[in-house]
Amino acid sequence: MAYELLTFGLFALVTIASSLGVVLVQDVWQSALLLGVALLSVAVHYVMLQAEFLAAMQVLVYVGGVLILITFAVMLTRQATTEEEVSRI
């Protein structure tokens, strides 16, 4: 019982910290990675509630789908900012 409470508190802290990081971080790529951490920690909460199907759907749909879509959008829309990056294009 104490281990479950400790695990819940740890992952609740991870969820809150990464969610705040999504909002407060200015780099879009780091924000997308923190979103993945937040979504994965929510999936851990589902596993702790013995809702394995919901945890699997959380990982497949949100982490797998939405995060990959955000990653491609960031990679395709990022503009070169330094002269070195401009010369590579």
Side-chain angles (χ1 to χ4, degrees):
M1 183 69 181
Y3 291 118
E4 291 176 1
L5 187 61
L6 183 64
T7 306
F8 176 79
L10 175 70
F11 280 103
L13 184 67
V14 169
T15 304
I16 292 171
S18 59
S19 299
L20 282 173
V22 169
V23 177
L24 298 175
V25 170
Q26 292 184 356
D27 186 28
V28 179
W29 176 249
Q30 291 176 356
S31 179
L33 291 177
L34 286 170
L35 178 64
V37 171
L39 293 174
L40 281 174
S41 63
V42 169
V44 171
H45 286 290
Y46 285 140
V47 170
M48 291 178 65
L49 290 170
Q50 297 177 350
E52 289 84 11
F53 179 75
L54 284 177
M57 290 300 105
Q58 175 82 13
V59 171
L60 286 175
V61 174
Y62 289 109
V63 178
V66 173
L67 199 61
I68 295 298
L69 185 66
I70 290 172
T71 302
F72 282 137
V74 168
M75 289 171 57
L76 291 174
T77 59
R78 184 171 278 197
Q79 296 178 356
T81 55
T82 63
E83 292 179 20
E84 198 174 284
E85 291 176 359
V86 172
S87 64
R88 280 191 264 169
I89 296 175

